[in-house]
Amino acid sequence: MKKQHISRYLRQTMIEGFDQSKLSDARVLVCGIGGLGSAVTFYLAAAGVGEIIMVDRDKVEETDLNRQILHFTHDIGRYKVVSAYDKLREFNPEIKLNPIPANLNESLLRSLPHPDVIVDALDNLSTRFILNEFAVNNNIPLVHAAVEGFEGRITTILPHRTACLACIYQGVPSPRTFPIVGVTAGLLGVIEATEVIKLLTHMGQLLLNKLLFIDLQSWDFDIINIEADPSCAVCGANGRKR
Amino acid sequence: MKIFIKSERRFIDVGTVKNVRELIKRLGLKEEEVLVVETDSKKLLTPDEKISPEWRIEIRKVISGG
């Protein structure tokens, strides 16, 4: 590791057992560069994750600015991944950033370099299910979070070891514009980044088979136990394999 | 059987129900819109799961914003 790198990450490498090379050698795919994705990528860049692939087809709109903290007023109309790239490049020029302004689908996922971890920072369950199936079929850990209003949920999926999204959710609710306060997305995004850092550095305990519910209005933080469904269409014994 | 609707912070009496699927239907909800939790064990229940009359059950809404 170069001397300037040692200095940059000194305060985290002071943690006993923290191996910076596990982060600098890692490639993380972040799907969705909105409210969750802004916080996730910011902290992964800060931590020195070697390569961050960012996928989002959307452009910045004014209504995004209450929560999507990587995008500024002058970014309205620009692709979110390009806006994020500019900020993160300046923030940490030592890491590799790969912005992809495209629709997330199976063929795009297959075309990407193999990531060590995938972060689900999407805003709808139908695309989350596509990502979940790809992660399960390719045995890639998936960190999932969702937010609305003052509430959030988060879990970490290790394919064929834990419940997957199709074990948890029974289908896709009708699409709607969801209300959200920025701090909810920020907090859940930071927790997603925490899970990624712990996964890569093999430190601490992960939210495996645990769905953390957070209600910032009542300050309820509670963990619900989840189990893999043996009949799951994705990760079960007869799950879809491609 | 009383069910706690978490988002509304109120209880609803649904009478006797056999399983989670029937409970969701009795409440006029859709399976894809809610998560059903057994309160004491903090366990997420699947639609096929049978419900014991002594269980305490709560309903949490599915969210998917990002």
Side-chain angles (χ1 to χ4, degrees):
Chain A
M1 200 181 296
K2 291 179 186 173
K3 190 177 177 186
Q4 67 266 32
H5 294 191
I6 293 169
S7 173
R8 182 175 195 112
Y9 306 117
L10 175 65
R11 298 296 284 270
Q12 60 200 44
T13 54
M14 288 169 68
I15 299 169
E16 190 178 341
F18 196 100
D19 184 351
Q20 184 64 34
S21 70
K22 286 193 164 65
L23 295 183
S24 56
D25 292 344
R27 177 187 293 128
V28 176
L29 167 61
V30 181
C31 299
I33 307 297
L36 291 169
S38 288
V40 172
T41 52
F42 203 48
Y43 276 96
L44 293 184
V49 167
E51 180 178 354
I52 304 172
I53 306 171
M54 303 178 286
V55 178
D56 197 314
R57 68 176 178 186
D58 289 338
K59 293 178 178 176
V60 179
E61 298 179 16
E62 189 171 18
T63 55
D64 298 329
L65 301 181
N66 78 321
R67 64 197 183 282
Q68 301 185 14
I69 56 165
L70 277 184
H71 314 308
F72 302 163
T73 304
H74 63 76
D75 293 314
I76 291 172
R78 302 176 74 211
Y79 279 112
K80 290 182 181 177
V81 291
V82 176
S83 161
Y85 174 90
D86 288 348
K87 316 307 186 314
L88 298 173
R89 172 85 293 133
E90 192 170 354
F91 181 50
N92 189 348
E94 297 169 0
I95 61 171
K96 185 177 177 188
L97 297 164
N98 188 354
I100 301 175
N103 193 31
L104 193 143
N105 54 39
E106 194 186 335
S107 76
L108 176 82
L109 288 166
R110 275 199 236 160
S111 73
L112 299 174
H114 186 92
D116 297 293
V117 184
I118 300 174
V119 179
D120 168 12
L122 296 163
D123 64 358
N124 68 88
L125 260 175
S126 57
T127 317
R128 291 179 194 274
F129 279 133
I130 294 170
L131 192 61
N132 177 66
E133 193 168 333
F134 175 80
V136 169
N137 288 343
N138 292 279
N139 206 26
I140 304 167
L142 173 66
V143 179
H144 157 76
V147 287
E148 179 173 321
F150 282 91
E151 291 186 39
R153 334 273 195 227
I154 176 166
T155 188
T156 294
I157 295 160
L158 297 184
H160 307 295
R161 278 184 54 195
T162 68
C164 78
L165 288 190
C167 300
I168 302 169
Y169 300 112
Q170 303 304 317
V172 179
S174 306
R176 62 193 169 86
T177 301
F178 64 94
I180 177 81
V181 62
V183 289
T184 311
L187 178 61
L188 270 292
V190 170
I191 298 175
E192 282 194 293
T194 308
E195 285 289 272
V196 173
I197 291 166
K198 287 161 62 184
L199 249 169
L200 292 171
T201 57
H202 309 296
M203 298 191 78
Q205 294 179 354
L206 300 166
L207 290 164
L208 305 180
N209 278 331
K210 295 178 189 303
L211 186 58
L212 172 61
F213 283 68
I214 295 174
D215 183 340
L216 298 176
Q217 290 203 78
S218 62
W219 289 118
D220 283 340
F221 284 62
D222 60 338
I223 287 177
I224 300 302
N225 300 305
I226 52 180
E227 290 177 1
D229 179 356
S231 63
C232 175
V234 176
C235 73
N238 299 312
R240 293 184 288 270
K241 288 265 167 52
R242 294 183 185 168
Chain B
M1 181 172 211
K2 284 187 176 173
I3 307 296
F4 184 56
I5 310 294
K6 183 97 172 169
S7 58
E8 300 169 14
R9 300 181 195 282
R10 68 184 178 108
F11 288 91
I12 293 179
D13 197 334
V14 295
T16 307
V17 286
K18 282 186 300 187
N19 59 32
V20 172
R21 183 166 285 119
E22 187 183 329
L23 168 65
I24 294 170
K25 196 173 177 184
R26 189 78 61 88
L27 290 167
L29 301 170
K30 295 177 179 171
E31 288 179 24
E32 64 269 25
E33 292 175 343
V34 292
L35 298 173
V36 181
V37 175
E38 206 258 294
T39 306
D40 293 322
S41 66
K42 294 277 182 192
K43 182 180 174 239
L44 182 70
L45 303 176
T46 56
D48 294 331
E49 209 138 357
K50 287 181 182 167
I51 293 179
S52 176
E54 65 267 22
W55 282 0
R56 294 194 301 151
I57 301 283
E58 59 191 61
I59 303 290
R60 302 182 181 214
K61 68 178 178 183
V62 167
I63 60 174
S64 190

